[in-house]
Amino acid sequence: MTISKHFGRGAAALGALVLVVAACSSGSASSAPASAGAASPAASSGAASPAGSAATGEKPTLAFIATMTNPSQAFSWKMYQKNAAKYGFNVINIDNKNDAQQQTAAINSAVAQKVAAIAINPIDAAGYVPATKAAMAGGTVVCLSMVPAADNAQDGSTCAVSVDDVLGGNTAATAILNAFPNGATGVEIGGQAGHVAATNRHTGFSEGIKGKNITVLEYKNPQAWDTAQAQAIAEDMITKYGDKIQFIFCHWDNGATGVINALKNVKEPWAQKVMIVAVDGNKTGFDQVKSWPNYISIAQNAETITSKVMEESMLFIKKDPAAVKKNIIPFDLITKDTIGNFTPPEW
């Protein structure tokens, strides 16, 4: 997570740095995730309770469903456990294993365990909707965690908490425009193919450079939020375009690690001058802001997001009129000029 010491100073530093927008990447789980259909232990003491009962004083249970090999989601699980008691929940974790069928099985398993709420970081834009709609029809609150609802999935969740990934892509575009006022050519390495965060970041970036003197030579997505896949894509692009690449917009900081590896292997002066822009603001992003000559990381705060998911989920459980369906958490901007204003994240 990132904790700003002085809010509002980041935007002024955009002009000269690389922007990395990484909304879905690194970290480590605090406990081994469960397979779909089997939940990991609850965060609070004792076994995970079912929906909970005011009469017995039991806490309601929230199931967090995500791809637990994704470092951002492993860290999110750690934050759900850390803050569950504060928001009145027991929490369990079910791994969707980055598979659509496993994701459906995980949702159905959570319902079978009579959880009161599901927090889900889905692997796709709308494939989860039939299962979550069935869960909601049975009275389970479903909140999207770290992603907004896609246009064709608005009825598939009770609420959503995320950054605005379209704005993240826009911010990347602005950074590149400021760095290259006379125009530039470069490439875009997207996030996981079909993931709503990747789709929105690409949309925001494309909108931001439309009609400007910025040319994207190629755009390509990996099949997962995987550093090695990002490196392979970068190596292929470097082979194709060489020193025509003046900037690289990579959708996540851990993917940008692969980009940096590919550029270092070139061993030519131009490669060290490439501007990199990415999203996430994780520990890797902080390190790369410090180490790469021209790098910017757009940071999303996982603890703030997961806490808001639990807050809103509990409000919906209680049918509180203060509950909000769409919740946007602002980005933090990490550059060489602003990095000292933030506490380095753990993930």
Side-chain angles (χ1 to χ4, degrees), residues 32-41 64 92-95 97 102 105-106 109-110 113:
S35 60
S40 68
F64 174 52
I92 60 173
N93 172 229
I94 310 176
D95 190 351
K97 298 185 180 298
Q102 290 284 331
S109 173
Q113 295 179 65

Side-chain angles (χ1 to χ4, degrees), residues 82-93:
K82 175 183 176 182
N83 295 306
K86 177 180 177 182
Y87 294 98
F89 282 109
N90 290 319
V91 290
I92 60 173
N93 172 229

Side-chain angles (χ1 to χ4, degrees), residues 240-288:
K240 289 180 181 178
Y241 305 110
D243 61 6
K244 292 180 181 179
I245 299 174
Q246 296 172 274
F247 67 84
I248 298 176
F249 172 38
C250 181
H251 283 202
W252 79 112
D253 282 316
N254 280 20
T257 300
V259 170
I260 289 172
N261 291 339
L263 289 169
K264 284 181 176 178
N265 290 337
V266 174
K267 301 187 185 306
E268 293 183 18
W270 69 265
Q272 296 293 315
K273 298 177 183 178
V274 173
M275 177 186 188
I276 301 172
V277 180
V279 184
D280 269 351
N282 56 14
K283 185 178 185 299
T284 297
F286 270 61
D287 290 344
Q288 288 168 178

Side-chain angles (χ1 to χ4, degrees), residues 94-319:
I94 310 176
D95 190 351
N96 66 26
K97 298 185 180 298
N98 197 32
D99 178 85
Q101 291 184 339
Q102 290 284 331
Q103 179 169 261
T104 297
I107 296 165
N108 292 340
S109 173
V111 172
Q113 295 179 65
K114 302 186 185 302
V115 302
I118 293 171
I120 181 169
N121 182 266
I123 68 167
D124 45 26
Y128 63 91
V129 170
T132 55
K133 284 180 70 174
M136 292 160 63
T140 305
V141 169
V142 177
C143 192
L144 301 186
S145 180
M146 207 174 271
V147 293
D151 288 344
N152 61 338
Q154 292 296 312
D155 59 349
S157 58
T158 313
C159 62
V161 181
S162 70
V163 292
D164 182 347
D165 283 304
V166 174
L167 178 60
N170 265 171
T171 306
T174 298
I176 292 167
L177 287 166
N178 288 344
F180 300 101
N182 296 321
T185 56
V187 296
E188 180 183 359
I189 299 175
Q192 178 177 306
H195 196 285
V196 65
T199 300
N200 287 345
R201 288 170 194 175
H202 175 64
T203 296
F205 185 64
S206 299
E207 290 174 352
I209 63 172
K210 186 176 181 179
K212 310 295 184 183
N213 193 19
I214 298 294
T215 300
V216 175
L217 301 168
E218 186 174 352
Y219 166 57
K220 189 171 183 179
N221 295 85
Q223 293 306 303
W225 300 95
D226 182 83
T227 300
Q229 291 185 36
Q231 181 168 337
I233 292 171
E235 289 169 346
D236 180 62
M237 290 175 169
I238 288 168
T239 299
K240 289 180 181 178
Y241 305 110
D243 61 6
K244 292 180 181 179
I245 299 174
Q246 296 172 274
F247 67 84
I248 298 176
F249 172 38
C250 181
H251 283 202
W252 79 112
D253 282 316
N254 280 20
T257 300
V259 170
I260 289 172
N261 291 339
L263 289 169
K264 284 181 176 178
N265 290 337
V266 174
K267 301 187 185 306
E268 293 183 18
W270 69 265
Q272 296 293 315
K273 298 177 183 178
V274 173
M275 177 186 188
I276 301 172
V277 180
V279 184
D280 269 351
N282 56 14
K283 185 178 185 299
T284 297
F286 270 61
D287 290 344
Q288 288 168 178
V289 167
K290 295 176 184 176
S291 64
W292 189 252
N294 193 12
Y295 190 104
I296 294 173
S297 179
I298 300 175
Q300 55 179 336
N301 191 315
E303 183 166 15
T304 302
I305 290 171
T306 54
S307 292
K308 189 65 173 175
V309 167
M310 289 188 284
E311 177 186 349
E312 292 299 327
S313 295
M314 185 59 77
L315 290 173
F316 276 105
I317 288 170
K318 294 179 177 178
K319 303 187 187 310

